[in-house]
Amino acid sequence: MHRKQILRTVIAVLMTGLSVNVAQAAKVDVFAEFNKKITKLEGELKKEKDVTKRYDVFLKSFREMGELRSKNPRQAEEKEINMSLFMDSLAFLPEKKDFQASKCKDYKKEVNDMMKSYAKDQKEPFVDKAFNVVDLICK
């Protein structure tokens, strides 16, 4: 009987260790995935010719980035700040039904103003990336 208890304990410890390793292996590097999504978005926007289709691509990608962040653990503070700067700089863009290509100049100005408010002496790279996305949508 004592051997059975030891065997159960050893098996339980091994199973716990395996589940921890599996969980760690499944852990996503959110910041790296976030950057991949930005790069993919920029590539897709460059390929698309129609401004409304570019906006659809942007909205889909923006939602995916938000879900990626909400479903995964927080990253290091600097990474969180950079992702937030990107998302906050684009959060003001309207829903699809309210988007107007004729207002692209206003959208660019809004992101440009955010860029100035975040960094007076230098550009924030992720706000600059957000400006690039709006520029690609509106080209």
Side-chain angles (χ1 to χ4, degrees), residues 59-73:
L59 289 175
K60 180 180 178 250
S61 187
F62 189 74
R63 278 191 298 275
E64 288 173 359
M65 285 184 237
E67 288 174 10
L68 174 70
R69 291 187 71 203
S70 68
K71 291 182 180 178
N72 288 290

Side-chain angles (χ1 to χ4, degrees), residues 35-69:
N35 279 317
K36 286 179 188 175
K37 288 188 179 293
I38 291 173
T39 303
K40 181 181 173 191
L41 172 61
E42 290 172 336
E44 289 177 3
L45 291 175
K46 287 176 184 175
K47 291 177 188 173
E48 188 57 57
K49 301 296 180 203
D50 182 45
V51 69
T52 55
K53 288 182 182 176
R54 284 194 302 265
Y55 200 68
D56 288 340
V57 167
F58 159 72
L59 289 175
K60 180 180 178 250
S61 187
F62 189 74
R63 278 191 298 275
E64 288 173 359
M65 285 184 237
E67 288 174 10
L68 174 70
R69 291 187 71 203

Side-chain angles (χ1 to χ4, degrees), residues 61-124:
S61 187
F62 189 74
R63 278 191 298 275
E64 288 173 359
M65 285 184 237
E67 288 174 10
L68 174 70
R69 291 187 71 203
S70 68
K71 291 182 180 178
N72 288 290
R74 284 186 57 85
Q75 304 295 291
E77 201 61 35
E78 183 180 343
K79 293 176 179 180
E80 283 295 327
I81 289 169
N82 286 327
M83 291 187 292
S84 291
L85 284 171
F86 182 82
M87 297 298 283
D88 292 348
S89 297
L90 296 172
F92 76 93
L93 288 170
E95 291 294 318
K96 181 181 178 178
K97 64 181 179 168
D98 298 325
F99 176 77
Q100 297 174 14
S102 61
K103 291 187 176 182
C104 272
K105 196 177 219 179
D106 296 334
Y107 302 147
K108 286 182 186 180
K109 183 184 179 316
E110 183 73 27
V111 176
N112 195 37
D113 289 346
M114 286 182 186
M115 204 177 323
K116 290 177 186 174
S117 69
Y118 283 122
K120 298 192 182 344
D121 304 357
Q122 64 187 31
K123 287 186 178 181
E124 283 292 335

Side-chain angles (χ1 to χ4, degrees), residues 5-6 14 17-18 30 33 67 76 82 109 125-127:
Q5 288 176 334
I6 292 172
L14 288 174
L18 286 175
V30 177
E33 286 297 314
E67 288 174 10
N82 286 327
K109 183 184 179 316
F126 280 80
V127 180

